[in-house]
Amino acid sequence: MSANNEEMVVTPWEVRGKIDYEKLTREFGTQPLTPELLERIQKLTGTLHPQLERRIFFSHRDLDWILQRYEAGEKFILYTGRGPSGPVHIGHIIPWIFTKYLQDKFGATLYFQMTDDEKFLYHDDFNLSEPKKWAYENSLDIIALGFDPKKTKIIMDTKNMGVMYDLAIQIAKRMTYSTVKAVFGFQESTNIGMLFYPAVQAVPAFLESFLTGKNVPCLIPAAIDQDPYWRVTRDVAPKLGFYKPAQIHCRFVPGLGRGGKMSASMPETSVFTVDNPDVAEKKIMSAFTGGRSTVEEQRRMGANPDICSVYSYDYFLFMDQKEIENLRYNCMAGNIMCGECKRTLAERVKKFLVEHQERREKAKDQFEKFLFDPKDVQSTI
Ligand code: TYM
């Protein structure tokens, strides 16, 4: 069965089937991003990020509330993260690029959580050194994206648990087994580390408030697969006297195959930030497109950008508004063939990878500067 005909499944650990974002918004109980909200963001930031213009970020919780507090002079923190189980792919960096825009525009401190504990607990075959290694490797990607070292704190769960633990157990005490079982679908065979883990992912949303004793609003940019964590986190917030964290959710960058999100478990249809550029080119040249079976047919009937993985890449990351509109028109009119489109994308991806990998190398010297140090937060009390 092709991914597009499969039943939609969206959990923090699995995304498959054809994603119906409207249905997700309804089922998860989130709000669509309205033109009014976008206008407000534009007013505050001066520019609307393409990911907002294109509704790559499409849904939220309490974004209006957090903007209102900001307009009234209250700063917020940003919180996002990564489960370090392998190399970073181009899908992962979508919410991070957007987070950097928010950090730049709102001058916000970012807490970035590396959940080496989550990935150790989730993957039966992992020993602890595996996710710890990836936590370091993936941090280089974060740093390479240009976050402000003075305003970015990378939390390594296993390293920072000392300072997180007091808060984690307060959260855990207010989350019941029946709630996490219902929200995450845990089974009798699920290890008890996984049952506790949702409390750990909630911690960074409250950490600054907890350490400073002053309630600080928090905005979480991430793809919508992480939403179950925020539901249980929001439930607990008022019980501990914290603000409920707000969220802004993005769509998934699809893989280069037919349907389905880009996923590290399918390396042949994912472009990793550490891929050799020539390998990435090969993956793109074999990508699934919305093309017709013959050139003649395509010239006559045009192709379908809406199912094309190459078009998706251009849309998510590699083309500006004018270019994407032109591409869409020429694709549907049969003026452009898939080979040409793939070559253009491959060139852009290769350029991106070369530049990113250079920055990633340099990030090795900066790594220490980005690590979360509770003293930095406590000294602002
Ligand atoms: P992880 O490592 O699965 O994903 C990291 C971030 O990438 C997003 N994402 C995608 N975005 C667009 N297209 C895709 N194909 C795609 N695949 C993944 C995820 O939504 C996420 O934002 N448990 C988390 C780690 C974590 C976290 C957080 C994430 C801890 N705290 C706070 C977001 C916010 C995880 O394993 O993410």
Side-chain angles (χ1 to χ4, degrees), residues 129-189:
S129 60
E130 194 80 5
K132 283 189 182 190
K133 175 190 87 180
W134 288 116
Y136 168 72
E137 289 293 327
N138 295 176
S139 296
L140 302 179
D141 288 292
I142 309 304
I143 298 168
L145 291 175
F147 287 102
D148 180 346
K150 292 204 188 72
K151 290 204 165 103
T152 305
K153 301 169 193 304
I154 300 181
I155 296 172
M156 300 283 183
D157 279 355
T158 53
K159 192 167 183 282
N160 295 124
M161 194 45 69
V163 68
M164 295 163 76
Y165 196 64
D166 278 7
L167 183 51
I169 55 173
Q170 299 207 44
I171 295 166
K173 196 171 178 179
R174 290 158 180 89
M175 270 180 198
T176 65
Y177 172 56
S178 73
T179 303
V180 293
K181 189 173 173 225
V183 171
F184 295 96
F186 292 142
Q187 308 285 314
E188 292 296 305
S189 57

Side-chain angles (χ1 to χ4, degrees), residues 77-80 111-113 155 157 164 167 171 199-208 218:
I77 60 147
L78 290 163
Y79 162 37
T80 196
Y111 286 81
F112 194 105
Q113 184 179 33
I155 296 172
D157 279 355
M164 295 163 76
L167 183 51
I171 295 166
V200 177
Q201 186 152 325
V203 165
F206 309 130
L207 193 56
E208 184 153 317
C218 167

